[in-house]
Amino acid sequence: ILQPKTESPVHEILKKMKLCGFITTNYDRLIEMILAPNAYILTNSLDKLKLASTAVNSSNQFLIKLHGDIDDELPPDDMLVANGAPFMVISRADYTALIQGERGNALRLALYSVLQKASILFLGYRFADPDIQLNFDFLSKYSMFSNQSWFVGLKGEDIPSVPNNVTTLQPISDWNELCNWLEELHKDVGKIITPVPKTEAYKISEEDKRALQAIIEYIYGLESDNLCERILASILIGELLT
């Protein structure tokens, strides 16, 4: 009915950049079209969010759709959603439902896993976005960006307060210029990166995979409301996977 786009110049450039993963608040399937075949695709369901540490620490690409997928039809007040099923975040009340309770904790731990693993390039948000600032304030208080990250905004916007290790950039005047800027960025990065010699990857048996998955599920199943304990469990999962 909505006749969704089947291609996007920005997404095609992101595909060229061979990024380790994506986090999006969009419902569409444009990013899925550029992912590797073996990529982890996670929505905001409780079960999927619990797999975030596994996905982020694997050698595969990952996609985390924070606000759900276009096929998530359940309303946020449905009992299945209350028990962890995915849903589309459209209203302010939906956003509140997303970040509360067990799902909210799983969401924060998923984002924490990304912070510990990768550099992050924030694209498509205004510097003045209140939800971005709210999350930055939370991360500044309880966590940190382990790797250098960047927030891309428009020229002339007021610079927000950002966490340590996050640099603000204002390279464009209009979001229509983003495609050309990313293309130039991709070219510049390609000039300075030295290819790493290929080595044979460590092969893990199916039995070891099942054992590791059982350990991960056990750690996530620990009955604790202590966020610090859950963060430590998330770190342990990352260590097990490396």
Side-chain angles (χ1 to χ4, degrees), residues 175-192:
W175 287 116
N176 291 325
E177 301 171 13
L178 180 61
C179 188
N180 291 335
W181 182 77
L182 284 174
E183 186 72 67
E184 292 300 317
L185 177 65
H186 174 56
K187 292 178 181 177
D188 290 341
V189 170
K191 295 176 183 177
I192 62 174

Side-chain angles (χ1 to χ4, degrees), residues 1-235:
I1 296 174
L2 300 178
Q3 296 192 7
K5 292 181 180 178
T6 57
E7 60 182 11
S8 161
V10 169
H11 287 75
E12 286 302 314
I13 295 173
L14 292 176
K15 181 178 181 179
K16 292 180 185 178
M17 297 175 77
K18 299 186 183 301
L19 303 174
C20 65
F22 301 89
I23 302 174
T24 183
T25 55
N26 292 342
Y27 319 113
D28 61 54
R29 300 281 175 77
L30 289 174
I31 294 181
E32 281 91 328
M33 293 171 58
I34 66 172
L35 290 176
N38 58 352
Y40 284 89
I41 300 178
L42 311 180
T43 61
N44 60 20
S45 75
L46 186 57
D47 288 341
K48 291 292 186 180
L49 288 173
K50 288 180 177 181
L51 291 174
S53 291
T54 304
V56 171
N57 287 286
S58 76
S59 59
N60 300 341
Q61 276 189 313
F62 65 87
L63 167 62
I64 303 176
K65 304 186 80 166
L66 297 178
H67 286 187
D69 183 83
I70 192 68
D71 281 345
D72 295 334
E73 300 176 348
L74 294 174
D77 59 354
D78 190 284
M79 280 304 299
L80 291 175
V81 172
N83 291 327
F87 68 105
M88 282 197 291
V89 176
I90 298 175
S91 68
R92 172 63 58 180
D94 298 344
Y95 180 77
T96 300
L98 175 70
I99 62 175
Q100 289 183 339
E102 182 69 8
R103 192 197 308 262
N105 286 336
L107 177 63
R108 293 181 184 93
L109 288 173
L111 297 177
Y112 180 84
S113 298
V114 177
L115 292 185
Q116 302 309 302
K117 178 73 173 182
S119 293
I120 299 174
L121 183 65
F122 291 90
L123 296 172
Y125 292 93
R126 294 180 300 114
F127 280 146
D129 188 297
D131 293 326
I132 287 289
Q133 192 61 63
L134 180 67
N135 285 306
F136 274 164
D137 291 343
F138 176 86
L139 292 171
S140 297
K141 185 175 181 180
Y142 294 105
S143 185
M144 63 178 292
F145 283 71
S146 297
N147 303 284
Q148 178 64 52
S149 298
W150 302 270
F151 192 133
V152 177
L154 302 179
K155 294 178 180 178
E157 288 185 335
D158 292 335
I159 302 296
S161 173
V162 296
N164 292 334
N165 229 15
V166 177
T167 301
T168 55
L169 302 174
Q170 295 176 289
I172 55 179
S173 300
D174 185 277
W175 287 116
N176 291 325
E177 301 171 13
L178 180 61
C179 188
N180 291 335
W181 182 77
L182 284 174
E183 186 72 67
E184 292 300 317
L185 177 65
H186 174 56
K187 292 178 181 177
D188 290 341
V189 170
K191 295 176 183 177
I192 62 174
I193 291 182
T194 303
V196 178
K198 291 185 178 180
T199 57
E200 185 177 356
Y202 172 71
K203 295 181 180 180
I204 183 170
S205 68
E206 288 301 317
E207 183 179 357
D208 287 342
K209 285 182 181 178
R210 289 192 293 270
L212 181 58
Q213 186 64 38
I215 294 172
I216 290 171
E217 291 176 359
Y218 170 76
I219 291 174
Y220 264 114
L222 293 176
E223 294 294 336
S224 174
D225 295 326
N226 189 307
L227 186 58
C228 291
E229 291 180 5
R230 288 183 169 271
I231 289 174
L232 289 174
S234 178
I235 293 172

